[in-house]
Amino acid sequence: MEKQTLLLEHNYRPAKDPAGKPPAIIMLHGFGSDENDLFSFASELPEKYAIISLKAPIRLEPYGNAWYNIYFDNAQGKFSDDEQAIASRELVSKCIDEIIKKYKVDGENITLLGFSQGTILSFAVALSYPKKVKNVIGLSGYINEEILKEGYAKNDFSNLNVYTSHGSVDQVIPVQWARRTEPFLKKLNIDCKYSEFPVGHGVAPQNFRELKEWLGKR
């Protein structure tokens, strides 16, 4: 399968066996990064998956991209542009449809793998459109209820699974925010595994091993 044109720029690694419809992992990078960041460890993920790493639409200066702006100089502290976040939520949702069609992957076996802002957006897409997502791997992020689709709580989440992790000394996103994720999801009867590791805003090697083990059981 050759690389296709999508609504968003992206990196692509085909599944080892392109016959049939392979499962897919769609990567959403963090604020100030790009499609090459998470894709750098694509070779460490199971070969049965097609991997698509999306580039966020908002260009930052002097470099990097974002799914939505964060205004660090806001009087109340960090202020997320929720309107931009909702627009990106819809854009990623449309990209999932494109990926299923153009890359001929299994539409019932889509995993979103996000880091930081990419995790926040992954949760927004999965909770708003759970029929499109089977698994979420959320690294160093949290759930922002303000960017979930109205009426999301009435959705059928019976096929959605979540692995989420956070650094216990994260200096960017407080670990207290992440600790709300598991109880929030369990109230919606969503299967969720939450782990903490003694690191900052990043992914520890043991964290990566654990998420691979979790994915292997899905």
Side-chain angles (χ1 to χ4, degrees):
M1 172 70 70
E2 294 182 355
K3 186 176 178 181
Q4 304 293 305
T5 300
L6 302 176
L7 287 167
L8 289 170
E9 293 181 48
H10 64 287
N11 287 334
Y12 168 64
R13 187 205 77 178
K16 184 176 182 180
D17 182 7
K21 292 186 175 183
I25 295 173
I26 300 172
M27 297 175 160
L28 306 182
H29 64 76
F31 182 87
S33 189
D34 61 26
E35 73 278 21
N36 298 309
D37 187 15
L38 294 175
F39 195 72
S40 64
F41 63 78
S43 61
E44 302 297 320
L45 294 170
E47 294 180 334
K48 70 176 183 177
Y49 287 92
I51 297 179
I52 299 95
S53 183
L54 299 176
K55 182 178 183 178
I58 299 172
R59 177 72 182 167
L60 301 175
E61 296 297 340
Y63 55 81
N65 287 68
W67 299 103
Y68 52 90
N69 274 299
I70 300 174
Y71 306 109
F72 293 94
D73 56 355
N74 183 266
Q76 285 80 41
K78 299 176 186 178
F79 175 76
S80 298
D81 191 318
D82 288 345
E83 288 188 7
Q84 289 180 344
I86 290 169
S88 283
R89 181 196 76 197
E90 294 303 297
L91 189 56
V92 170
S93 175
K94 290 175 183 176
C95 269
I96 293 173
D97 296 337
E98 276 193 319
I99 288 166
I100 292 167
K101 181 179 179 181
K102 294 188 175 183
Y103 282 117
K104 296 179 171 55
V105 298
D106 184 355
E108 295 185 358
N109 199 345
I110 301 293
T111 297
L112 294 182
L113 191 161
F115 175 76
S116 192
Q117 192 180 76
T119 289
I120 298 166
L121 199 63
S122 293
F123 282 137
V125 173
L127 293 173
S128 299
Y129 302 106
K131 289 184 178 180
K132 295 187 178 188
V133 182
K134 180 184 178 186
N135 303 312
V136 173
I137 297 174
L139 308 173
S140 302
Y142 66 98
I143 294 170
N144 178 0
E145 293 182 64
E146 300 301 315
I147 64 172
L148 304 182
K149 193 171 180 65
E150 187 175 349
Y152 74 90
K154 297 178 182 177
N155 288 332
D156 179 4
F157 300 113
S158 58
N159 292 317
L160 184 61
N161 309 284
V162 173
Y163 171 90
T164 184
S165 61
H166 214 81
S168 58
V169 288
D170 192 320
Q171 71 281 23
V172 177
I173 296 177
V175 68
Q176 289 82 2
W177 296 9
R179 287 172 180 165
R180 301 172 192 155
T181 303
E182 186 177 23
F184 182 95
L185 294 176
K186 289 196 169 178
K187 282 184 179 178
L188 297 171
N189 294 314
I190 296 172
D191 181 70
C192 174
K193 175 174 175 56
Y194 172 74
S195 291
E196 284 181 21
F197 297 90
V199 295
H201 197 60
V203 181
Q206 62 267 40
N207 189 175
F208 189 64
R209 286 195 297 271
E210 186 178 82
L211 76 83
K212 285 203 296 182
E213 290 173 5
W214 180 88
L215 187 61
K217 296 175 182 177
R218 302 274 81 70

